[in-house]
Amino acid sequence: FGSSLPRPSLEESPLVSTVAVPACSCSGGAGNTMSDNLKDVIDANGIGCLNQDGAHPVGNAFRDDDSNLQSDCDQQLIISVPFATPVKLSGIRIKAAPGEAAPRLVKLFIHRPDIGFDEAPDEPAVQEFNLTDEDLASDKPLPLRFVKFQNVNTLQIFVEDNGGAEVSSINKIELFGAALQGTNLSEWKKPKS
């Protein structure tokens, strides 16, 4: 407002260059709403997967047992996860046994439920990971670029490559963040003037 001081551009701003992205502290505990396990918000009946082995379907990756998801004719998988309510995602945990069948290059997309194998390799992902055996064995979720995963209705997980096996295998997928609370307009009251 009337200041004659020059305003730094985004590239020149010291805040942009010094702000660090905190590591995901996603523990799944109910005390931290930004790191809750979102398993109760996932629309389990709507989960889909392209190239899944019928004997090892996608639902296995969202269960708390020893079953697994496995690809069918090659290493690629596209997993579509719908949510019952919009969510803010802060982390993802992908568990897999170490070895050649473990996923290595994983790309995440949002709001692309119809993405296929023709588009996914060339489309810019919202975020991608080159997973290590340590990542796949860790109990700590991988942090997501939180600002990119706001108001998410569907998440697509594209397993582009694995460690060299013919098929990919995933033991478990967990998503962390917070469900967005809707506004109940019937409870809204007009402000007093």
Side-chain angles (χ1 to χ4, degrees):
F1 292 28
S3 171
S4 62
L5 294 175
R7 193 169 182 174
S9 70
L10 203 53
E11 292 80 23
E12 297 168 336
S13 172
L15 291 177
V16 172
S17 61
T18 59
V19 173
V21 177
C24 182
S25 60
C26 309
S27 63
N32 184 353
T33 59
M34 294 315 294
S35 64
D36 286 342
N37 188 319
L38 295 174
K39 66 181 176 184
D40 293 334
V41 186
I42 293 172
D43 177 6
N45 294 327
I47 296 173
C49 184
L50 298 178
N51 194 34
Q52 66 184 325
D53 180 337
H56 301 278
V58 68
N60 291 351
F62 294 90
R63 291 193 183 134
D64 292 324
D65 60 23
D66 292 335
S67 60
N68 69 324
L69 163 63
Q70 189 170 300
S71 62
D72 187 26
C73 62
D74 64 19
Q75 78 280 9
Q76 294 187 334
L77 290 162
I78 297 179
I79 304 157
S80 185
V81 183
F83 298 96
T85 186
V87 298
K88 294 179 181 183
L89 293 173
S90 60
I92 184 171
R93 184 183 308 150
I94 299 175
K95 295 277 216 174
E100 292 184 350
R104 296 300 175 193
L105 179 56
V106 174
K107 295 181 178 181
L108 303 180
F109 300 92
I110 58 173
H111 307 131
R112 298 290 309 272
D114 296 327
I115 196 165
F117 293 109
D118 291 336
E119 304 90 20
D122 300 322
E123 289 285 320
V126 177
Q127 189 164 347
E128 67 180 67
F129 297 98
N130 285 302
L131 301 175
T132 64
D133 285 341
E134 293 81 27
D135 294 330
L136 297 166
S138 177
D139 287 330
K140 285 185 92 174
L142 299 164
L144 298 181
R145 291 185 201 118
F146 191 66
V147 295
K148 299 282 189 175
F149 291 91
Q150 303 288 311
N151 202 25
V152 177
N153 293 309
T154 63
L155 175 71
Q156 288 66 47
I157 305 166
F158 174 44
V159 176
E160 186 167 359
D161 208 357
N162 63 19
E166 251 184 69
V167 297
S168 294
S169 180
I170 297 174
N171 296 347
K172 188 157 190 67
I173 297 172
E174 293 177 291
L175 300 167
F176 297 88
L180 296 176
Q181 301 300 317
T183 303
N184 186 347
L185 293 178
S186 65
E187 293 177 5
W188 184 76
K189 294 181 179 152
K190 185 176 179 180
K192 294 180 183 178
S193 31

